[in-house]
Protein backbone atom coordinates (compact mmCIF):
# COMPACT_ATOMS: atom_id res chain seq x y z
CA UNK A 1 0.00 0.00 0.00
CA UNK A 2 1.24 3.50 -0.78
CA UNK A 3 2.16 5.76 2.10
CA UNK A 4 -0.84 7.73 3.21
CA UNK A 5 -0.33 11.35 4.17
CA UNK A 6 -3.19 12.59 6.29
CA UNK A 7 -3.20 16.03 7.87
CA UNK A 8 -4.58 15.31 11.33
CA UNK A 9 -5.43 12.55 13.76
CA UNK A 10 -9.19 12.64 13.20
CA UNK A 11 -8.75 12.28 9.43
CA UNK A 12 -6.34 9.42 10.01
CA UNK A 13 -8.76 7.70 12.36
CA UNK A 14 -11.66 8.12 9.92
CA UNK A 15 -9.59 6.74 7.06
CA UNK A 16 -8.63 3.60 8.98
CA UNK A 17 -12.08 3.15 10.56
CA UNK A 18 -13.52 2.96 7.05
CA UNK A 19 -11.10 0.14 6.26
CA UNK A 20 -11.79 -1.65 9.56
CA UNK A 21 -15.51 -1.38 8.77
CA UNK A 22 -14.90 -3.31 5.55
CA UNK A 23 -13.63 -6.17 7.73
CA UNK A 24 -16.73 -5.79 9.95
CA UNK A 25 -18.94 -6.16 6.85
CA UNK A 26 -17.17 -9.46 6.12
CA UNK A 27 -18.15 -10.65 9.59
CA UNK A 28 -21.71 -9.52 9.04
CA UNK A 29 -21.93 -11.47 5.77
CA UNK A 30 -20.97 -14.58 7.77
CA UNK A 31 -23.65 -13.79 10.37
CA UNK A 32 -21.00 -12.85 12.92
CA UNK A 33 -21.19 -9.80 15.16
CA UNK A 34 -19.80 -7.14 12.79
CA UNK A 35 -16.56 -6.05 14.38
CA UNK A 36 -13.44 -5.41 12.36
CA UNK A 37 -9.86 -4.53 13.20
CA UNK A 38 -6.74 -3.62 11.27
CA UNK A 39 -3.13 -3.12 12.28
CA UNK A 40 -1.08 -0.32 10.74
CA UNK A 41 2.67 0.23 10.90
CA UNK A 42 4.41 3.53 11.58
CA UNK A 43 4.32 4.35 7.84
CA UNK A 44 0.50 4.01 7.81
CA UNK A 45 0.69 0.75 5.85
CA UNK A 46 -1.88 -1.88 6.74
CA UNK A 47 -0.16 -5.08 7.81
CA UNK A 48 -3.19 -7.16 8.83
CA UNK A 49 -6.91 -7.30 9.39
CA UNK A 50 -9.26 -9.39 11.41
CA UNK A 51 -12.96 -9.75 11.96
CA UNK A 52 -15.12 -11.69 14.37
CA UNK A 53 -15.17 -15.46 13.75
CA UNK A 54 -16.60 -16.72 17.07
CA UNK A 55 -19.66 -18.43 15.61
CA UNK A 56 -18.01 -19.86 12.51
CA UNK A 57 -15.04 -21.27 14.40
CA UNK A 58 -17.09 -22.05 17.53
CA UNK A 59 -14.41 -20.44 19.64
CA UNK A 60 -15.01 -17.56 22.05
CA UNK A 61 -11.48 -16.19 21.53
CA UNK A 62 -11.90 -15.49 17.81
CA UNK A 63 -12.37 -11.75 18.17
CA UNK A 64 -11.40 -9.30 15.43
CA UNK A 65 -8.50 -7.87 17.44
CA UNK A 66 -7.03 -11.27 18.30
CA UNK A 67 -7.20 -12.38 14.68
CA UNK A 68 -5.60 -9.11 13.49
CA UNK A 69 -2.77 -9.60 16.03
CA UNK A 70 -2.24 -13.20 14.90
CA UNK A 71 -2.17 -12.17 11.24
CA UNK A 72 0.26 -9.31 11.90
CA UNK A 73 2.56 -11.59 13.89
CA UNK A 74 2.61 -14.11 11.02
CA UNK A 75 3.18 -11.39 8.41
CA UNK A 76 5.97 -9.72 10.37
CA UNK A 77 7.49 -12.90 11.80
CA UNK A 78 7.39 -11.46 15.31
CA UNK A 79 4.88 -11.43 18.16
CA UNK A 80 6.14 -8.01 19.24
CA UNK A 81 4.16 -5.39 17.34
CA UNK A 82 6.02 -2.40 18.73
CA UNK A 83 5.40 0.77 16.73
CA UNK A 84 2.09 -0.49 15.33
CA UNK A 85 -1.44 0.80 15.84
CA UNK A 86 -4.59 -1.30 15.99
CA UNK A 87 -7.83 0.28 14.75
CA UNK A 88 -11.00 -1.44 15.90
CA UNK A 89 -14.60 -0.65 15.19
CA UNK A 90 -15.45 -1.45 18.84
CA UNK A 91 -13.71 -0.87 22.17
CA UNK A 92 -11.59 -3.96 22.84
CA UNK A 93 -12.96 -6.30 25.48
CA UNK A 94 -10.80 -7.13 28.49
CA UNK A 95 -9.42 -10.25 26.75
CA UNK A 96 -8.44 -8.31 23.63
CA UNK A 97 -7.09 -5.39 25.66
CA UNK A 98 -4.79 -7.84 27.46
CA UNK A 99 -3.65 -9.32 24.14
CA UNK A 100 -3.02 -5.82 22.77
CA UNK A 101 -0.72 -5.04 25.70
CA UNK A 102 1.00 -8.44 25.43
CA UNK A 103 1.63 -7.83 21.71
CA UNK A 104 3.36 -4.54 22.62
CA UNK A 105 1.14 -2.50 20.30
CA UNK A 106 1.93 1.18 20.51
CA UNK A 107 -1.65 2.38 20.27
CA UNK A 108 -5.24 1.20 19.90
CA UNK A 109 -7.94 3.46 18.43
CA UNK A 110 -11.60 2.45 18.47
CA UNK A 111 -14.76 3.98 17.07
CA UNK A 112 -17.54 2.77 19.40
CA UNK A 113 -17.75 2.00 23.10
CA UNK A 114 -18.60 -1.46 24.43
CA UNK A 115 -20.66 -0.84 27.54
CA UNK A 116 -20.83 -4.55 28.45
CA UNK A 117 -17.25 -5.76 27.93
CA UNK A 118 -15.09 -2.70 27.27
CA UNK A 119 -11.49 -2.96 28.44
CA UNK A 120 -10.53 0.70 28.11
CA UNK A 121 -13.07 2.93 29.85
CA UNK A 122 -16.47 1.26 29.77
CA UNK A 123 -15.89 -1.51 32.34
CA UNK A 124 -12.26 -1.28 33.36
CA UNK A 125 -9.03 0.13 31.95
CA UNK A 126 -6.48 -2.58 31.18
CA UNK A 127 -4.26 0.04 29.55
CA UNK A 128 -3.79 1.96 32.80
CA UNK A 129 -2.68 -1.06 34.83
CA UNK A 130 0.91 -1.23 36.04
CA UNK A 131 2.04 -3.71 33.38
CA UNK A 132 5.44 -4.05 31.70
CA UNK A 133 4.19 -2.31 28.54
CA UNK A 134 2.00 0.74 28.08
CA UNK A 135 -0.35 0.91 25.12
CA UNK A 136 -2.00 4.23 24.38
CA UNK A 137 -5.77 3.82 23.98
CA UNK A 138 -7.90 6.38 22.14
CA UNK A 139 -11.66 6.50 21.80
CA UNK A 140 -12.64 8.50 18.72
CA UNK A 141 -16.35 8.16 18.09
CA UNK A 142 -17.14 7.19 14.52
CA UNK A 143 -20.89 6.74 14.18
CA UNK A 144 -20.82 4.09 11.43
CA UNK A 145 -18.98 1.79 13.89
CA UNK A 146 -21.94 1.97 16.30
CA UNK A 147 -24.55 1.92 13.53
CA UNK A 148 -23.39 -1.37 12.00
CA UNK A 149 -23.70 -3.05 15.40
CA UNK A 150 -27.08 -1.51 16.18
CA UNK A 151 -28.42 -2.56 12.79
CA UNK A 152 -27.08 -6.11 13.20
CA UNK A 153 -28.71 -6.61 16.60
CA UNK A 154 -31.96 -4.95 15.48
CA UNK A 155 -32.16 -7.54 12.67
CA UNK A 156 -31.38 -10.38 15.11
CA UNK A 157 -34.25 -9.35 17.40
CA UNK A 158 -36.82 -9.47 14.57
Amino acid sequence: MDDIIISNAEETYTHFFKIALQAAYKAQKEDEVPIGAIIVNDRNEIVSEGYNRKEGEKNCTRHAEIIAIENASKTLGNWRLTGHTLYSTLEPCVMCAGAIVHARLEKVVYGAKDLKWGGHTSITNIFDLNLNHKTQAVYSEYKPCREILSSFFRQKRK
Side-chain angles (χ1 to χ4, degrees):
M1 181 175 175
D2 294 331
D3 285 351
I4 299 165
I5 299 171
I6 302 172
S7 62
N8 66 47
E10 287 302 316
E11 287 180 30
T12 301
Y13 298 164
T14 298
H15 173 77
F16 288 122
F17 283 148
K18 287 178 180 177
I19 297 167
L21 275 166
Q22 294 306 310
Y25 289 124
K26 291 177 186 178
Q28 187 175 36
K29 286 180 185 175
E30 296 178 18
D31 203 31
E32 299 275 352
V33 176
I35 300 167
I38 61 169
I39 295 179
V40 177
N41 66 20
D42 59 1
R43 294 179 308 280
N44 284 332
E45 299 165 332
I46 298 168
V47 298
S48 73
E49 80 164 25
Y51 60 89
N52 270 12
R53 297 280 304 128
K54 284 172 53 173
E55 301 301 328
E57 294 185 24
K58 304 200 180 346
N59 182 333
C60 68
T61 67
R62 306 311 291 151
H63 289 200
E65 299 91 338
I66 301 290
I67 293 169
I69 289 168
E70 289 174 356
N71 291 340
S73 295
K74 286 177 190 169
T75 297
L76 300 170
N78 194 340
W79 64 267
R80 290 177 189 86
L81 302 178
T82 308
H84 289 74
T85 299
L86 185 143
Y87 290 87
S88 181
T89 57
L90 185 65
E91 177 181 0
C93 72
V94 293
M95 174 185 69
C96 291
I100 287 165
V101 173
H102 275 286
R104 310 297 196 265
L105 282 154
E106 188 83 20
K107 183 194 275 189
V108 60
V109 183
Y110 60 94
K113 288 195 173 265
D114 183 347
L115 301 178
K116 293 182 180 179
W117 288 95
H120 176 225
T121 59
S122 295
I123 300 300
T124 188
N125 191 343
I126 301 297
F127 304 108
D128 275 351
L129 295 176
N130 188 23
L131 302 170
N132 69 335
H133 175 77
K134 289 292 180 190
T135 297
Q136 178 187 7
V138 176
Y139 168 56
S140 180
E141 181 182 23
Y142 186 62
K143 288 182 182 173
C145 292
R146 172 61 56 207
E147 290 167 354
I148 189 174
L149 288 163
S150 296
S151 174
F152 178 81
F153 286 114
R154 209 171 17 257
Q155 281 295 114
K156 286 290 185 189
R157 285 190 287 273
K158 285 186 178 180

